[in-house]
Amino acid sequence: MNCPKCGASLLPGAVFCGGCGYRLEAAGAAPAQAGTRAGFAQAHGIHIDEDSRGQGVGYRYEVLHQPAFSLAVIQLQAEQSIQAEAGAMVSMSANIELQSQMKGGLFGAIKRAAGGESAFVSTFTARGGPGEVTFAPGAPGDIAAIELNNQSFFVQSSSYLAGDASLTVDTKWGGAKSFFGGEGLFVLMVQGRGLLLVSSFGAIHRKTLQPGERYVVDTGHLVAWEGTTQYTLRKAAAGFFRSMMSGEGIVAEFTGPGELLIQTRNLAALAGLLKPFFPTQGGGGSGCNINLGS
């Protein structure tokens, strides 16, 4: 399979040409009928390759070991770069140059830290020839490789893993109620064209909303959603006491059209289950007490 614009060799199912950046779906693709999922995905949608492989301008990617222990493998052409959260790198070729910086200056770093991210952004660049870099999240789970086409997405701050260096990543106010839900005050807005890697705790469930359709998601299970999708934060049940008694705190109510990515597990809920099994500080009667002094 070759690019109809520049003739470069392409991977099966590729959406972008790695040589010239031409979007292949625009080359003679028959428009889907109105109301079908394919037609919706082209107009809006979250584009994720079914085989978890693809390519863009200056890179190829593949997601391996899904869905429990996913690893994103990025093949960079010479002098091409990709950015990632600090600590996301698993391995890289010897010729990959790593630089960490406070993106957006001091104010940008403060906003990132307030949003639950690292204040620093890591940039990986292949020097002198092609190179490989691999990324993985800190918790077991899946990785979704989203190909943005001049779109905007909201991403839960803990779910952002890596992205094309040309993408704009900004921290946005997520609403005061999210603070009381323990989910942080901010979300990330990612805009532009290129590869975006998001991670989940557990598997990723995809939900498509039709125009006007409303859908409620626990904030601890959110991964990412389209910027065209409207959302509000509210209590899960009427009244603060009923909401707390239900075991559900703050939820996000979305209104379509748009698509959502939802993680099947909640890291905060797991931490709550494990908490009784950890000793409390200052507790006596259990554990070892070793006195190294005289």
Side-chain angles (χ1 to χ4, degrees), residues 215-291:
Y215 198 72
V216 177
V217 183
D218 183 286
T219 52
H221 286 269
L222 285 172
V223 174
W225 59 97
E226 287 187 87
T228 57
T229 306
Q230 301 297 317
Y231 77 98
T232 58
L233 298 172
R234 63 172 177 81
K235 296 185 292 292
F240 182 80
F241 181 74
R242 289 183 180 179
S243 184
M244 293 300 103
M245 289 296 292
S246 70
E248 307 293 340
I250 301 300
V251 297
E253 181 174 312
F254 294 88
T255 303
E259 287 195 87
L260 321 173
L261 297 183
I262 303 169
Q263 60 185 12
T264 60
R265 297 295 181 267
N266 185 334
L267 192 57
L270 175 62
L273 290 174
L274 296 178
K275 187 176 181 179
F277 298 95
F278 289 92
T280 57
Q281 291 184 349
S286 62
C288 298
N289 187 4
I290 302 175
N291 186 359

Side-chain angles (χ1 to χ4, degrees), residues 149-173:
N149 184 23
N150 295 323
Q151 296 170 280
S152 63
F153 282 84
F154 287 108
V155 180
Q156 185 80 288
S157 60
S158 60
S159 296
Y160 176 81
L161 186 65
D164 195 295
S166 65
L167 294 176
T168 301
V169 181
D170 195 14
T171 305
K172 295 293 184 181
W173 181 257

Side-chain angles (χ1 to χ4, degrees), residues 123-205:
T123 302
F124 300 83
T125 306
R127 297 300 187 190
E132 175 185 286
V133 58
T134 67
F135 300 110
D142 206 353
I143 296 174
I146 304 173
E147 294 176 345
L148 275 67
N149 184 23
N150 295 323
Q151 296 170 280
S152 63
F153 282 84
F154 287 108
V155 180
Q156 185 80 288
S157 60
S158 60
S159 296
Y160 176 81
L161 186 65
D164 195 295
S166 65
L167 294 176
T168 301
V169 181
D170 195 14
T171 305
K172 295 293 184 181
W173 181 257
K177 289 183 178 180
S178 60
F179 173 80
F180 300 103
E183 302 299 336
L185 285 169
F186 301 93
V187 294
L188 302 180
M189 174 175 275
V190 183
Q191 296 176 298
R193 179 171 183 167
L195 177 66
L196 168 64
L197 297 175
V198 296
S199 64
S200 66
F201 179 47
I204 292 179
H205 174 63

